[in-house]
Amino acid sequence: DHHVNYGSGSGLQDRVAFVQNDPGQHDASIRLADLQVSDTGTYQCRVKKNTVAVHEVIVTVQEKPATPQCWTEGELIEGSSILLRCYSR
């Protein structure tokens, strides 16, 4: 039908568009811009010509890890052992 159904309260209206200007030319691919963790979900492509064809894709958006905090434990003396610890949320 040449339109995207965004769902209620999805916030996708300004971030999703067809890849081709005219999806009726056999390419109804969409592009999701500025992905967010909240975009995780099931997306469905429904094409209607003579019959209806439906394809679902599960998209999982993972959050980029925070910069790790690292420190050493032990004395920095030649020949001794130290422990390098790192932590990230």
Side-chain angles (χ1 to χ4, degrees):
D1 293 335
H2 297 98
H3 75 276
V4 175
N5 180 351
Y6 302 101
S8 61
S10 67
L12 289 172
Q13 290 83 347
D14 297 329
R15 300 184 296 116
V16 67
F18 286 109
V19 172
Q20 301 295 322
N21 289 335
D22 182 6
Q25 297 299 313
H26 310 292
D27 186 356
S29 301
I30 60 170
R31 174 175 287 120
L32 296 172
D34 188 26
L35 285 174
Q36 301 169 11
V37 174
S38 60
D39 294 332
T40 294
T42 301
Y43 291 79
Q44 184 181 83
C45 178
R46 172 174 269 163
V47 177
K48 292 189 257 183
K49 279 284 195 187
N50 299 329
T51 61
V52 176
V54 178
H55 183 75
E56 290 186 347
V57 176
I58 297 172
V59 175
T60 303
V61 181
Q62 297 180 339
E63 193 168 349
K64 183 168 79 171
T67 302
Q69 299 172 343
C70 296
W71 66 96
T72 60
E73 291 181 1
E75 291 190 54
L76 295 173
I77 300 173
E78 186 177 343
S80 67
S81 297
I82 63 166
L83 187 60
L84 175 61
R85 295 198 180 264
C86 292
Y87 173 79
S88 180
R89 294 179 184 222

